[in-house]
Amino acid sequence: MTTFDVVLQQIVNGLVLGSFYALVALGYTMIFGVIKLLNFAHGDLYMVGGFVGFLALSAISSVVGAGWGGVAIAMFMSMIAVGCLGVVIERVAYHPMLRAPRLSILITALAVSLVLQNTVLALTHGQYTAFRSDFGFGGINLGNLFITYNQMILIGIAALLMIALELFVSRTQYGRAMRAVAIDKDMCQLMGINVSAVIAITFLIGSALAAAAGTMAGAYYGSVWYFMGFLIGLKAFTAAVIGGIGSIPGAMLGGLILGLLEAFGTQLPGVGSEWKDVFSFAILILVLVLKPTGLLGKSEQERM
Amino acid sequence: MPDAKPALPDHGLGPFLQDARVRWVACLIALAVLIAAPLIFGPYGIVILTNALLYVVLCLGLNIVVGYAGLLDLGYAAFFAVGAYTIGVLTVQFGFNFWVAFPFAILAAILAGVIIGGPTLRLRSDYLAIVTLGFGEIVRFSARNLEVTGRASGLSGIQDPWLFGWHINSSIDYYYVFVFLAALAVLASFRLANSRLGRAWLYVRHDEDAAEAMGINRVKVKLAAYVIGAIFGAIGGAFFATNLGAISPESFSFEQSVLVLMAVILGGMGKIPGVILGAFIIILGPELLRDLGEFRLLVFAVGLLLIMLFRPSGIWPARRA
């Protein structure tokens, strides 16, 4: 393989990784935009999404099989279930805290993350659960480059979901309300917008996107376990920050950039796969120190 | 924080505890109970108590950063790791004596405090939280991948220190070491809170710009908080390393940072008795729930959630002036 082939292959790997990051990052960004909360439990919703997707696939695979159709249906079921879970979490844990000190609600989010992780830990005894699907490893050759159908479909589904979200936010009334609430919650209340409903919808969509990513990741990597949300939660946050937290196009861009940087980072001399995570955190810190508002973020005056 | 709640009405014990003499007597009684504890609790209880006292040191250290200076730090375990690993690497790989290595652990902590504090001083609270989180993970991943820190398996065979002919090695010895360290941490925290620097932290926490306008050097004051917090953490880490005799990267995970932070906020940020209470709850809570097996941490987490919902400023919060 020539250097050029390696570069192409890493672009594909980076795009797959970046799609996962972007989908999870979207939830972070939307929730931060609307209620200014870093929802630390978001990565765990991705994990729960993986498990619900697995359960759904086990339930329906005898009828529709475990091919792409089955996984797509399982993914949809997982999105609905986890979306509702996200709304419940918001109502129970975050809603009463919206007027409390910032730190308290942040700790609440950490506690929710612990609750989700430990529930799944207690139910699965910390074992990896095999996520069996009949994808096979078929693919197409483009010169020396090999792309599996899985990779193409994953990138495709991620792109579709992101386009749908973009349309929702820019074209629908609820999307407009969401953007308005992100700018000034109190003013929206005065203008007759049901802020509470907008927050609920934001959690619904954000959690559903995380669940979609979780199910796809489970099918792609072939297993799910209770701790899989932690690192991706951090990476997705990094992606959201790179793009400019609060900005939806920023989250997509940040996810793809982080995915590509990581894929290429492992090829650099001295980085290697062991240092991959250090590499992405170093990027995060560099971005924050040099441009705290991210690539597409707006500058903010407000402080803690 | 501008969105702070108004002060709670003070009733019952409040004014009584304000009296300095009463406070001294309470401290002395607590110390006496701690010194007598090995007579009451079995060996297992002493190990748990030692752990709780280690947490008191760590939480009081983080309290300086978060509670006094208002800088949200999600990577506090990094400082703890710096102390433990400096001792571990210098004594195991280079054959240093513990007391020769100890000053290096402090120096490393100061350095780490400046490295983490330096570039992050301009950042807002949420971003600051994430940067510190990133630093914490970088420290842990580095420990896991470097040859000198023993990679994933960590370091073992860390020698116990000698102090004037006293070989500190049994669990009771370490218990008393941590009683001493915790008492020292309480004293230092108390003195710092009432010092010029402590008042500067309070001012910076409430209104950074006004503080700056009044001639407080914001950068110096914030760095001081990081560095002093780091020193507390590193001292805890140093004795943690010799107590266990072995350290591995997983002792310094994000979860560790979160637990310390939770203890601080749960108990009541900025309030010394609150922070101590929080440390004890975080360590003793899961122990008391041990019979629940795998559901133990789940019940504990739900409990935390309920406490935050009903007491968002912590169980024993600092009164706001």
Side-chain angles (χ1 to χ4, degrees):
Chain A
M1 290 224 300
T2 62
T3 319
F4 182 66
D5 295 327
V6 173
V7 168
L8 279 181
Q9 194 67 57
Q10 291 308 328
I11 288 180
V12 173
N13 294 347
L15 285 178
V16 173
L17 203 57
S19 310
F20 291 148
Y21 291 163
L23 282 178
V24 184
L26 280 170
Y28 259 115
T29 271
M30 289 167 70
I31 291 166
F32 186 85
V34 170
I35 62 171
K36 301 281 175 283
L37 162 71
L38 293 183
N39 183 14
F40 277 104
H42 198 69
D44 298 295
L45 287 173
Y46 160 93
M47 176 272 295
V48 173
F51 272 97
V52 175
F54 160 77
L55 290 176
L57 188 64
S58 321
I60 61 172
S61 61
S62 58
V63 186
V64 294
W68 272 110
V71 172
I73 297 172
M75 185 182 95
F76 192 64
M77 291 162 78
S78 173
M79 285 172 76
I80 292 174
V82 175
C84 294
L85 176 65
V87 175
V88 170
I89 289 172
E90 193 274 328
R91 286 291 115 156
V92 173
Y94 303 149
H95 207 74
M97 305 281 293
L98 285 181
R99 302 266 165 212
R102 286 285 288 282
L103 271 178
S104 308
I105 189 166
L106 207 61
I107 296 298
T108 310
L110 289 169
V112 170
S113 160
L114 275 182
V115 169
L116 291 177
Q117 259 175 41
N118 284 293
T119 309
V120 177
L121 171 67
L123 294 175
T124 61
H125 310 292
Q127 304 286 317
Y128 279 89
T129 307
F131 194 122
R132 287 200 187 77
S133 52
D134 305 330
F135 292 163
F137 295 95
I140 49 169
N141 277 300
L142 295 171
N144 279 328
L145 177 70
F146 182 70
I147 309 177
T148 64
Y149 293 130
N150 298 349
Q151 289 174 325
M152 292 196 301
I153 294 174
L154 279 181
I155 296 172
I157 293 179
L160 266 179
L161 287 173
M162 287 190 252
I163 291 169
L165 176 69
E166 183 57 39
L167 288 177
F168 176 81
V169 172
S170 60
R171 300 285 163 82
T172 67
Q173 202 167 359
Y174 272 113
R176 257 201 301 277
M178 203 182 277
R179 282 182 292 154
V181 170
I183 294 169
D184 191 334
K185 215 172 1 177
D186 294 332
M187 197 54 76
C188 287
Q189 194 96 54
L190 294 176
M191 297 295 284
I193 293 175
N194 187 346
V195 172
S196 192
V198 171
I199 294 175
I201 287 177
T202 309
F203 270 85
L204 182 81
I205 296 176
S207 310
L209 291 176
T215 310
M216 293 199 298
Y220 184 65
Y221 295 113
S223 67
V224 280
W225 77 308
Y226 82 101
F227 207 56
M228 74 188 223
F230 172 68
L231 205 55
I232 199 152
L234 290 186
K235 299 287 185 64
F237 181 79
T238 306
V241 167
I242 290 176
I245 191 151
S247 152
I248 289 178
M252 298 184 216
L253 183 68
L256 293 179
I257 290 177
L258 185 65
L260 289 171
L261 280 175
E262 264 193 24
F264 282 104
T266 55
Q267 300 293 313
L268 291 176
V271 175
S273 59
E274 294 151 11
W275 292 97
K276 187 184 76 178
D277 298 322
V278 172
F279 183 71
S280 42
F281 288 122
I283 293 170
L284 169 72
I285 292 169
L286 266 180
V287 171
L288 278 178
V289 170
L290 298 178
K291 193 159 180 358
T293 50
L295 296 174
L296 303 183
K298 297 178 286 288
S299 62
E300 263 189 88
Q301 293 298 316
E302 180 216 32
R303 282 182 297 114
M304 183 178 179
Chain B
M1 278 166 285
D3 52 356
K5 284 272 170 77
L8 295 166
D10 214 339
H11 40 76
L13 283 174
F16 180 64
L17 286 175
Q18 285 301 305
D19 190 333
R21 276 168 304 176
V22 174
R23 218 155 32 196
W24 268 108
V25 172
C27 284
L28 286 179
I29 291 174
L31 205 57
V33 169
L34 282 175
I35 288 170
L39 302 172
I40 308 162
F41 297 104
Y44 181 69
I46 287 303
V47 170
I48 305 296
L49 271 183
T50 307
N51 203 10
L53 289 169
L54 164 68
Y55 254 65
V56 169
V57 176
L58 296 181
C59 291
L60 285 172
L62 183 62
N63 182 46
I64 288 173
V65 184
V66 183
Y68 290 177
L71 305 162
L72 181 52
D73 185 347
L74 286 180
Y76 190 69
F79 297 137
F80 182 43
V82 163
Y85 268 104
T86 311
I87 296 291
V89 168
L90 290 181
T91 58
V92 175
Q93 311 281 33
F94 298 98
F96 280 42
N97 175 301
F98 175 83
W99 295 110
V100 180
F102 192 69
F104 286 99
I106 305 280
L107 275 178
I110 294 172
L111 197 64
V114 172
I115 289 175
I116 295 181
T120 58
L121 292 167
R122 289 184 305 131
L123 298 174
R124 291 197 310 124
S125 61
D126 300 307
Y127 291 151
L128 183 65
I130 293 300
V131 167
T132 50
L133 196 165
F135 268 116
E137 289 297 281
I138 287 178
V139 167
R140 182 167 68 94
F141 279 116
S142 304
R144 201 159 74 187
N145 291 323
L146 286 172
E147 200 69 60
V148 72
T149 51
R151 294 184 182 270
S153 49
L155 294 167
S156 57
I158 301 168
Q159 299 292 318
D160 294 308
W162 288 76
L163 188 64
F164 306 120
W166 174 36
H167 184 191
I168 303 171
N169 74 342
S170 73
S171 55
I172 304 269
D173 291 346
Y174 273 104
Y175 171 75
Y176 283 120
V177 166
F178 277 104
V179 169
F180 175 72
L181 290 178
L184 210 60
V186 170
L187 195 66
S189 294
F190 186 74
R191 300 283 299 167
L192 279 167
N194 293 300
S195 70
R196 199 183 171 80
L197 185 58
R199 287 195 302 274
W201 282 329
L202 185 71
Y203 205 169
V204 167
R205 190 180 77 206
H206 277 290
D207 193 333
E208 218 170 276
D209 298 323
E212 183 109 64
M214 293 297 286
I216 290 173
N217 186 338
R218 186 170 54 98
V219 171
K220 224 189 259 175
V221 164
K222 284 188 178 179
L223 267 184
Y226 271 117
V227 167
I228 294 173
I231 292 174
F232 275 57
I235 292 175
F239 285 98
F240 170 80
T242 56
N243 183 10
L244 289 190
I247 46 177
S248 78
E250 297 323 305
S251 307
F252 310 101
S253 61
F254 174 61
E255 202 170 320
Q256 186 76 256
S257 301
V258 167
L259 283 181
V260 178
L261 181 67
M262 275 188 171
V264 170
I265 294 186
L266 191 68
M269 267 196 313
K271 174 99 175 170
I272 297 171
V275 171
I276 296 171
L277 181 70
F280 273 88
I281 291 177
I282 288 282
I283 295 301
L284 301 184
E287 290 305 325
L288 297 177
L289 298 172
R290 191 161 277 281
D291 290 342
L292 294 172
E294 274 170 324
F295 288 95
R296 180 169 67 114
L297 271 174
L298 175 59
V299 172
F300 179 63
V302 172
L304 274 183
L305 201 57
L306 291 177
I307 292 176
M308 285 325 291
L309 284 174
F310 292 108
R311 299 218 46 132
S313 302
I315 298 171
W316 195 343
R319 287 179 312 130
R320 309 235 174 228

